[in-house]
Amino acid sequence: MKKLIHKKLIIPVLAVVIFFSTTAFKNDFFEIAKQIEIFTTLFKEINMNYVDDTNPGDLMDTAIKSMLDDLDPYTQFYNEQDVEASRINNAGDYTGIGAKVLTLKDKLVIVEPYKNYAADKAGLKAGDEIIKVDNVVVADFKDDAANLLQGAAGTEVNVTYKRQGKTNTVKITRESLEIKAVPHYSMVDDKTGYIVLRKFNEKASSETLGALRALKNQGATQLILDLRGNPGGLLNEAVNVTNIFVPKDQLVVTTKSKVKKYNKTYYTKRDAIDTEIPLVVLIDGSSASASEIVSGALQDMDRAVVVGARSFGKGLVQRPKSLTYGTQMKITISRYYTPSGRCIQALDYWNRDENGKATRVKKENYNAFKTRNGRDVFDGGGVQPDVEIELSKQTPITKAILNENLVFNYATQYYYDNTVEDLSNFRLSDSDFNDFKSYLRETGFSFETKTEKALDDAIAVSKEEELNGVINSEINALTEALQTYKTNAINANKAQLKSLLTDQIIKHFFYSEGLYDYYTANNTEIKKALEILNNPKQYASILR
């Protein structure tokens, strides 16, 4: 019994030792020590006396994650497997089946098999639902089942999947995959280069630099840098990418923390490759973190015209901290500020609403800052583009449809019902869009607006106060108006939904490579960027 208790106590005891061996807790030492002692005592009593057997590891995991949930979504605990996955993500190398996979409750869904890699060569397609990996049923696997697909290059894995109602099994030989920061670059016309930068891993700046040099050799005298959908990554790489276009010793970003040693200023360290080439940077609501450092810095320096939709708004910086037994945590240590002095953090995790959700910084609370040329830019809500494209902004209904994977699922069905051979002439017809609307009805798609939820709450209160009879007609009118809006919302968002559907269908048929090729000839944001770059007076006037 003593031996059992000793094993169960080893985790909290080690945590206490590590905790007291650090120096960042001097201010609240007594309160922190008190709370750790309370937790240690509670942990011991549960493990010794609870009526059923407990798993100390699971209990601790739940305790840690629940505690971190009260902070922000970027402060996270990593077990040994998570640490390796993080290393892979930053380094750009990956060993597995070579596919982007979505983890759902009872299955894994192939989102995209990477062209000419293991999954693709084995015949897997976007939309395939993996239900079993070797002898492990995905629905019964407690952790992230996507980890089952990883393994050493050259090893084999049997994958059982469903496609169009039929179950198949295929043997896949794992292989190494280089995850490129720059998956595509090309000439849009005879003088305009186009670079897609999808992530800020350790290769981001070197690959961007290589792409720029290659494009200049092909005749590029102006450039479009596409940061749409780029979730960020390494801060140093954001500085290095910025450095490609601005001179040495220019301030790119400042971090400020309550721990003085984390207060840092980041300057460009090298001579720029090209400080004169006209540059347009594309961003959208999924451009975050390092993407916002680059776009925000280039905007503040009046070095580039930013086009698209307002970025995500992540102005927080994380640092990994090593823990015991090969685990780590990533902890938010500071906020970052662009050269003009603005922090673009959009969500306030420290002043949550009554439901415990982070609140959005209100526009009336934004603060104005000045670019080098004296243009107004604002904090508190991501990077606002110099030229905003309405089609780039996701509306509540498009967000709801995307969150339920309905665009992806329809594209999968379209892939099996249609043939697309000519990428350049592909257009989604009105008939196809009507078919998509029918598909939404068949799935029972419905969404609740914030206004609708607020109205339901108001109705509940009115009943408590016995006012519902007095305002009944007004409530009915509002309810009817909301239903009319929801009915018409899909048609009102037709252009954006057709664009999203087109992109996903093209990826099903022609992979990401085909989508980038399609973009250069058809994408709205790229067309706008070209219009600006091809009109030097307009380009200059925006930056003035």
Side-chain angles (χ1 to χ4, degrees):
M1 181 66 177
K2 285 183 179 179
K3 195 175 280 187
L4 178 63
I5 294 171
H6 175 73
K7 286 182 179 178
K8 289 181 175 179
L9 284 175
I10 191 167
I11 295 175
V13 169
L14 280 172
V16 173
V17 171
I18 293 160
F19 189 89
F20 287 134
S21 68
T22 61
T23 59
F25 308 98
K26 293 177 182 176
N27 293 339
D28 300 316
F29 185 83
F30 174 75
E31 182 62 24
I32 293 169
K34 171 184 169 184
Q35 296 304 324
I36 287 181
E37 186 176 355
I38 291 171
F39 179 79
T40 302
T41 307
L42 176 146
F43 194 81
K44 179 184 73 173
E45 293 299 333
I46 287 175
N47 279 283
M48 288 177 62
N49 299 311
Y50 188 70
V51 63
D52 293 322
D53 289 337
T54 59
N55 185 312
D58 287 346
L59 287 177
M60 184 62 75
D61 193 59
T62 300
I64 291 171
K65 289 177 179 177
S66 297
M67 176 176 65
L68 297 184
D69 281 345
D70 270 354
L71 301 177
D72 63 67
Y74 312 111
T75 299
Q76 298 175 342
F77 171 73
Y78 292 88
N79 59 33
E80 292 174 271
Q81 291 77 22
D82 295 331
V83 171
E84 176 63 12
S86 179
R87 184 197 68 77
I88 289 169
N89 188 50
N90 285 332
D93 57 348
Y94 170 78
T95 303
I97 67 168
K100 184 178 180 181
V101 179
L102 174 66
T103 303
L104 298 178
K105 186 178 179 180
D106 58 348
K107 60 193 174 188
L108 298 169
V109 177
I110 300 290
V111 174
E112 180 186 2
Y114 299 131
K115 189 175 181 179
N116 295 328
Y117 281 96
D120 185 35
K121 288 186 284 189
L124 288 181
K125 303 289 184 183
D128 288 348
E129 302 173 359
I130 297 175
I131 57 175
K132 191 176 179 182
V133 180
D134 285 331
N135 294 319
V136 180
V137 177
V138 172
D140 296 336
F141 193 71
K142 183 178 180 182
D143 297 320
D144 186 351
N147 294 330
L148 296 170
L149 299 173
Q150 296 184 19
T155 59
E156 294 181 337
V157 60
N158 290 302
V159 172
T160 302
Y161 63 96
K162 284 185 178 180
R163 176 190 297 170
Q164 299 291 288
K166 296 180 180 179
T167 301
N168 306 285
T169 299
V170 64
K171 183 177 289 186
I172 302 175
T173 302
R174 297 183 179 98
E175 59 184 347
S176 295
L177 166 69
E178 182 184 4
I179 301 174
K180 292 185 177 181
V182 176
H184 176 90
Y185 64 88
S186 62
M187 295 293 290
V188 179
D189 58 24
D190 59 357
K191 62 180 179 179
T192 309
Y194 172 60
I195 299 175
V196 179
L197 178 54
R198 275 291 171 261
K199 64 192 304 180
F200 285 86
N201 60 18
E202 292 174 350
K203 302 176 183 179
S205 60
S206 62
E207 289 186 15
T208 304
L209 180 56
L212 176 61
R213 284 176 169 154
L215 291 170
K216 285 168 72 77
N217 287 335
Q218 295 175 43
T221 57
Q222 54 193 30
L223 184 69
I224 301 169
L225 178 63
D226 193 345
L227 298 180
R228 290 176 296 174
N230 187 322
L234 302 176
L235 186 150
N236 283 330
E237 282 299 291
V239 176
N240 292 338
V241 168
T242 306
N243 196 175
I244 293 172
F245 305 104
V246 300
K248 187 178 180 180
D249 298 326
Q250 300 297 304
L251 176 64
V252 176
V253 63
T254 302
T255 62
K256 297 179 182 179
S257 169
K258 72 175 183 180
V259 181
K260 287 185 178 180
K261 69 177 181 178
Y262 296 142
N263 292 339
K264 293 188 176 182
T265 51
Y266 293 83
Y267 291 84
T268 52
K269 295 180 179 180
R270 306 179 183 92
D271 292 329
I273 299 303
D274 195 328
T275 61
E276 299 297 329
I277 188 170
L279 175 64
V280 168
V281 177
L282 304 182
I283 61 171
D284 64 11
S286 298
S287 304
S289 189
S291 295
E292 294 171 301
I293 291 175
V294 172
S295 56
L298 293 173
Q299 185 180 56
D300 283 0
M301 297 178 195
D302 298 303
R303 178 61 187 88
V305 173
V306 180
V307 173
R310 185 184 291 277
S311 65
F312 181 81
K314 180 179 180 288
L316 305 175
V317 180
Q318 288 71 46
R319 177 180 288 262
K321 292 285 186 180
S322 296
L323 306 176
T324 55
Y325 297 109
T327 63
Q328 287 184 2
M329 74 176 299
K330 185 176 68 174
I331 182 170
T332 298
I333 58 166
S334 56
R335 292 179 174 85
Y336 72 76
Y337 299 80
T338 66
S340 67
R342 55 183 168 147
C343 180
I344 49 79
Q345 178 64 26
L347 292 175
D348 186 351
Y349 297 103
W350 301 274
N351 294 288
R352 297 174 183 253
D353 63 19
E354 64 275 9
N355 297 315
K357 292 185 177 180
T359 55
R360 200 161 193 76
V361 178
K362 296 180 180 177
K363 283 188 177 181
E364 55 265 30
N365 294 328
Y366 289 177
N367 298 298
F369 297 82
K370 295 289 185 182
T371 69
R372 285 185 180 174
N373 289 342
R375 298 185 297 140
D376 284 336
V377 288
F378 299 89
D379 66 0
V383 175
Q384 175 69 29
D386 301 311
V387 178
E388 195 161 20
I389 307 296
E390 196 64 30
L391 194 66
S392 300
K393 295 190 293 185
Q394 288 185 7
T395 62
I397 190 164
T398 55
K399 286 181 182 177
I401 290 171
L402 287 170
N403 288 342
E404 293 189 28
N405 298 312
L406 295 174
V407 167
F408 177 82
N409 292 341
Y410 178 81
T412 301
Q413 191 59 51
Y414 187 98
Y415 175 81
Y416 290 105
D417 292 343
N418 298 271
T419 300
V420 178
E421 295 179 351
D422 186 359
L423 173 65
S424 59
N425 292 324
F426 176 73
R427 297 291 184 276
L428 200 67
S429 67
D430 287 343
S431 175
D432 291 328
F433 185 71
N434 289 333
D435 186 52
F436 175 66
K437 290 194 293 184
S438 299
Y439 171 76
L440 292 180
R441 286 193 295 271
E442 290 168 7
T443 62
F445 169 72
S446 180
F447 75 106
E448 183 180 50
T449 65
K450 291 181 180 179
T451 302
E452 197 173 11
K453 187 178 185 305
L455 180 60
D456 289 341
D457 293 340
I459 292 172
V461 173
S462 71
K463 288 179 179 178
E464 290 178 9
E465 297 181 341
E466 298 182 352
L467 293 173
N468 53 308
V470 179
I471 59 174
N472 197 49
S473 60
E474 287 83 358
I475 288 173
N476 288 339
L478 281 170
T479 301
E480 186 175 333
L482 281 167
Q483 290 304 318
T484 300
Y485 159 75
K486 290 170 68 174
T487 300
N488 296 332
I490 293 176
N491 284 333
N493 288 271
K494 178 180 178 180
Q496 187 174 70
L497 286 169
K498 284 185 72 172
S499 177
L500 292 168
L501 286 164
T502 298
D503 289 356
Q504 191 58 63
I505 289 169
I506 287 173
K507 284 179 71 174
H508 271 62
F509 280 100
F510 302 103
Y511 306 86
S512 287
E513 290 84 351
L515 180 59
Y516 297 136
D517 288 336
Y518 184 84
Y519 271 177
T520 56
N522 300 280
N523 182 252
T524 301
E525 291 86 344
I526 292 177
K527 285 182 176 180
K528 186 63 179 179
L530 273 175
E531 175 192 316
I532 295 168
L533 288 169
N534 289 332
N535 187 337
K537 287 185 178 179
Q538 182 184 8
Y539 179 85
S541 67
I542 293 170
L543 295 180
R544 279 198 297 266

